[in-house]
């Protein structure tokens, strides 16, 4: 908690926002996206993304509000399926865990820490010598009805800070052993209560 910003500060975080670029890996294909995300940890999230080569006119929005999920494509809003909503809610839950507040933490395997929060899968994190989170392991529900759970490994690099809260500059996600997502943050903003 000290490396993130200290317990007193991180418990005052209302929301975090970032913008940057991302690569999504689909088989041998890489899709380059611009992204803007606003997150109220464990409560709600909104993420806008667009194809870098085509600009914001291709923007798509994903929203999680409690246990409801929505997408906006071509200015048309529709509900996510129940399975996709659970998957996305759990995906955004990782960022709540990364703030270290709002979860119960215990010693995990091999010197790691285990975080738990009702309504979300548990997570295991490993910290570097400076106390900052360097990696995390998490299992999320499949976005497909009846699909198998997905094992995720997160790797974090670099640091960005706002109002004393430290956040990774780069986040890479591997799903079931295959590269899935790589985010590079250009701007990070914290809103306090």
């Amino acid at each position: 908690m000290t490396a993130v910003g200290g317990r007193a500060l991180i418990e005052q975080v209302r929301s975090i926002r970032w913008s940057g670029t991302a690569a999504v890996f689909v088989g041998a294909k890489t899709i380059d996206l611009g992204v803007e995300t606003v997150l109220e940890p464990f409560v709600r999230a909104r993420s806008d993304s667009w194809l870098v080569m085509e600009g914001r006119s291709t923007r798509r929005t994903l929203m999680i509000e409690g246990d409801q999920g929505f997408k906006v494509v071509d200015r048309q809003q529709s509900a996510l399926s129940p399975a996709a909503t659970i998957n996305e809610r759990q995906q955004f839950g990782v960022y709540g865990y990364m703030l270290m507040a709002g979860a119960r933490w215990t010693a995990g395997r091999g010197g790691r820490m285990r975080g738990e929060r009702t309504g979300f899968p548990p997570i295991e994190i490993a910290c570097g010598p400076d106390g900052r989170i360097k990696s995390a392991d998490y299992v999320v529900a499949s976005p497909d009805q009846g699909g198998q759970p997905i094992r995720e490994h997160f790797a974090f690099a670099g640091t960005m800070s706002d109002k004393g809260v430290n956040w990774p500059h780069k986040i890479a996600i591997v799903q079931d052993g295959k590269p899935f997502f790589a985010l590079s943050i250009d701007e990070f903003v914290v809103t306090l209560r």
Side-chain angles (χ1 to χ4, degrees):
M1 286 185 177
T2 300
V4 176
R7 181 187 297 268
L9 177 60
I10 60 179
E11 288 180 350
Q12 294 301 311
V13 173
R14 179 185 314 162
S15 66
I16 55 176
R17 177 175 60 85
W18 64 79
S19 60
T21 55
V24 177
F25 306 104
V26 182
K29 184 177 179 182
T30 301
I31 302 168
D32 295 315
L33 301 174
V35 295
E36 292 179 346
T37 301
V38 178
L39 176 84
E40 186 176 330
F42 299 115
V43 177
R44 64 183 53 87
R46 177 190 171 114
S47 187
D48 294 325
S49 61
W50 56 91
L51 298 170
V52 169
M53 295 296 289
E54 297 183 25
R56 287 180 176 269
S57 65
T58 60
R59 182 179 69 192
R60 293 173 178 233
T61 301
L62 178 65
M63 297 178 289
I64 297 297
E65 180 74 36
D67 60 359
Q68 307 265 334
F70 305 93
K71 64 182 176 181
V72 179
V73 179
D74 296 328
R75 298 183 182 167
Q76 298 295 315
Q77 180 174 311
S78 58
L80 295 176
S81 71
T85 297
I86 291 167
N87 171 271
E88 292 295 347
R89 183 173 182 270
Q90 291 175 349
Q91 293 282 7
F92 285 114
V94 168
Y95 304 115
Y97 279 125
M98 288 168 57
L99 279 170
M100 305 293 293
R104 186 172 60 90
W105 292 94
T106 57
R109 300 170 303 182
R112 297 163 61 92
M113 293 178 57
R114 179 180 172 91
E116 295 181 2
R117 181 179 172 97
T118 302
F120 291 86
I123 193 168
E124 284 202 357
I125 64 168
C127 297
D130 62 358
R132 296 195 184 178
I133 301 171
K134 68 176 186 177
S135 67
D137 290 292
Y138 196 55
V139 178
V140 296
S142 171
D144 303 317
Q145 186 67 36
Q148 292 297 308
I150 301 166
R151 299 187 72 76
E152 295 187 324
H153 177 76
F154 292 77
F156 309 108
T159 302
M160 304 192 78
S161 298
D162 185 50
K163 298 178 184 69
V165 176
N166 299 309
W167 194 255
H169 178 207
K170 295 183 184 281
I171 300 171
I173 306 171
V174 172
Q175 286 189 338
D176 290 332
K178 298 177 184 172
F180 169 67
F181 184 80
L183 172 66
S184 179
I185 298 173
D186 297 326
E187 181 184 27
F188 172 68
V189 178
V190 173
T191 302
L192 301 174
R193 298 183 204 286

